[in-house]
Amino acid sequence: MNTLSQTKELFRRAEAVCFDVDSTVIKEEGIDELAKFCGVGDAVREMTRKAMGGSMTFKKALTERLSIIRCSREQVNKLITDHPPQLTPGIKELVEHLHEHNIRVFLISGGFRCIVEHVATQLNIPLHHVYANRLKFYFNGEYAGFDETQPTAESGGKGKVISMLKEQYGFKTVVMIGDGATDLEACPPASAFIGFGGNVIRTQVKERSSWYVTSFEELIKELEKI
């Protein structure tokens, strides 16, 4: 594992920074919000906790949670309109700073592309820099499952996306930032991992992070040293 000073240095000279979305870039867990909106909040929240704690494979947890929610296209659109995702304080400024330093920003999420794209637009992140799961609907708008071929549908999927980005863009230094076990697992192939506890603190992630922050201010201050 990198030391604190090594992680800070890698962050300052990163060519790309990848963010988790739920409980990192936004305050909530998108799947929990969708479940609550569809009236099955409690059952799904418990399963999310298990998935984030690493006691169930990500794909199994996603499949089971979605089979409980069974949201229609209309419900998803209504959720985004009525309860748009709440950005975590400081994220907009941090992304602006990264862009000013010509550092590419990517969103890699185990959540849903339709919600994550909305977040990306608010942060001026190009939509081809978004990697997330795609919900599938029948022609009448009813839930038809999710695209199981997306790397983000699997445990270890975030690492696969980072490997792909390194190959595609020739990045040498990629930093992953997130709150959960799936984010931590993405390093390696990420050059460094920064744990984020501004919305929820997950003990195992905090204990295994050489740099753990609870505010994006700390990262903005580090960029100002460049």
Side-chain angles (χ1 to χ4, degrees):
M1 191 165 84
N2 296 319
T3 64
L4 175 60
S5 62
Q6 282 171 331
T7 303
K8 287 186 172 186
E9 191 191 332
L10 287 164
F11 177 62
R12 288 195 304 271
R13 58 183 179 84
E15 294 159 276
V17 172
C18 301
F19 288 92
D20 168 50
V21 177
D22 295 333
S23 297
T24 300
V25 168
I26 61 173
K27 291 180 181 180
E28 59 274 278
E29 287 285 327
I31 195 162
D32 289 351
E33 291 303 304
L34 185 58
K36 198 160 61 178
F37 193 74
C38 296
V40 288
D42 291 346
V44 170
R45 197 177 304 110
E46 178 57 24
M47 223 176 275
T48 298
R49 201 181 57 73
K50 283 183 184 170
M52 293 308 291
S55 61
M56 189 187 282
T57 69
F58 185 80
K59 194 177 216 171
K60 187 175 192 299
L62 186 61
T63 306
E64 289 189 13
R65 287 179 294 178
L66 282 170
S67 65
I68 296 170
I69 301 170
R70 303 197 66 78
C71 51
S72 66
R73 181 186 275 124
E74 190 185 347
Q75 283 173 312
V76 174
N77 292 341
K78 195 163 164 48
L79 169 72
I80 294 167
T81 309
D82 295 0
H83 302 280
Q86 301 295 302
L87 292 178
T88 300
I91 187 62
K92 210 168 170 47
E93 294 75 13
L94 176 56
V95 171
E96 279 168 12
H97 271 73
L98 289 165
H99 282 156
E100 278 166 19
H101 288 98
N102 293 317
I103 299 168
R104 311 260 189 105
V105 178
F106 294 85
L107 299 179
I108 308 179
S109 174
F112 307 121
R113 191 173 180 94
C114 45
I115 296 173
V116 178
E117 283 188 349
H118 179 83
V119 174
T121 305
Q122 287 180 278
L123 296 172
N124 294 317
I125 295 169
L127 297 186
H128 67 277
H129 284 198
V130 170
Y131 293 85
N133 290 315
R134 292 176 186 273
L135 291 171
K136 296 199 291 196
F137 301 100
Y138 292 111
F139 68 94
N140 64 355
E142 283 180 15
Y143 174 69
F146 65 97
D147 181 355
E148 296 189 25
T149 65
Q150 295 295 317
T152 46
E154 300 275 2
S155 295
K158 290 179 181 180
K160 283 184 194 145
V161 172
I162 290 173
S163 293
M164 203 168 68
L165 293 177
K166 287 170 89 170
E167 201 174 304
Q168 192 179 333
Y169 294 94
F171 296 140
K172 295 278 184 288
T173 311
V174 179
V175 175
M176 180 75 205
I177 300 173
D179 68 286
T182 59
D183 309 313
L184 184 64
E185 285 164 7
C187 177
S191 320
F193 171 74
I194 300 168
F196 182 74
N199 293 307
V200 59
I201 292 175
R202 303 190 200 278
T203 313
Q204 70 169 100
V205 175
K206 187 177 182 179
E207 285 170 357
R208 291 171 61 196
S209 303
S210 56
W211 191 15
Y212 193 84
V213 301
T214 52
S215 160
F216 287 128
E217 271 306 309
E218 293 177 62
L219 303 186
I220 293 169
K221 280 178 187 157
E222 202 56 38
L223 285 176
E224 285 168 352
K225 295 176 186 175
I226 297 175

